[in-house]
Amino acid sequence: MKPLRLLQWLLGTLLGLGLIATTVAVIITPLIFGLLWAPPRPNVEVEQPLPTAQTETSPPTPSPAPVKQGRVTYAEGLRVRDRPDREAEALGSIDFEEVVTILERSSDGEWVKVRTQNDLEGWVLAFGIQEQ
């Protein structure tokens, strides 16, 4: 093989490999960096419900059941949803270490219905709440 042909082949091979490596890096880099950091927390405005007026003819309310308190142990906080489903609408969020009132558990035990200190009520994943 002539030296000029050998040089052309070598340069063509190196340029081809470099082009392939660059293309792969451009495609894979955003995927890798997207997996390294958690997505930003949603900034959800919470509308407070209007208080309802009770009439004098309403029956007396029964004594409340013992209140269970819990604390958010998931470092990134939890999303509060309108029903116990990962695809449910997000109503707001609860920060790490925030104390909540536990209202009920889902039948499968994966979800917990809670009320926050600012009266936001909804479902969160149970793994992020520790009962006190």
Side-chain angles (χ1 to χ4, degrees):
M1 199 178 232
K2 295 183 180 179
L4 184 59
R5 292 243 184 227
L6 181 63
L7 184 61
Q8 285 177 340
W9 178 82
L10 187 60
L11 284 175
T13 303
L14 290 176
L15 284 173
L17 290 173
L19 184 61
I20 291 171
T22 302
T23 304
V24 168
V26 165
I27 292 171
I28 289 179
T29 300
L31 296 175
I32 291 173
F33 282 108
L35 296 174
L36 291 178
W37 290 286
R41 292 186 55 196
N43 187 9
V44 179
E45 295 284 329
V46 178
E47 292 182 22
Q48 298 295 328
L50 296 174
T52 57
Q54 291 187 358
T55 62
E56 292 180 22
T57 60
S58 63
T61 57
S63 60
V67 177
K68 290 184 184 177
Q69 296 290 318
R71 183 177 299 277
V72 177
T73 58
Y74 188 61
E76 295 176 15
L78 296 172
R79 287 193 182 117
V80 180
R81 299 188 181 275
D82 64 349
R83 63 183 192 280
D85 185 358
R86 291 179 190 265
E87 301 300 318
E89 180 182 346
L91 302 174
S93 59
I94 307 174
D95 292 328
F96 176 64
E97 292 289 321
E98 188 172 334
V99 176
V100 296
T101 303
I102 297 173
L103 303 174
E104 66 180 283
R105 288 190 174 275
S106 63
S107 58
D108 61 1
E110 185 179 3
W111 295 88
V112 177
K113 188 171 186 179
V114 297
R115 182 182 303 123
T116 64
Q117 294 170 347
N118 60 357
D119 289 330
L120 174 63
E121 213 174 279
W123 294 88
V124 295
L125 286 167
F127 76 87
I129 299 285
Q130 178 182 14
E131 285 189 32
Q132 295 180 326

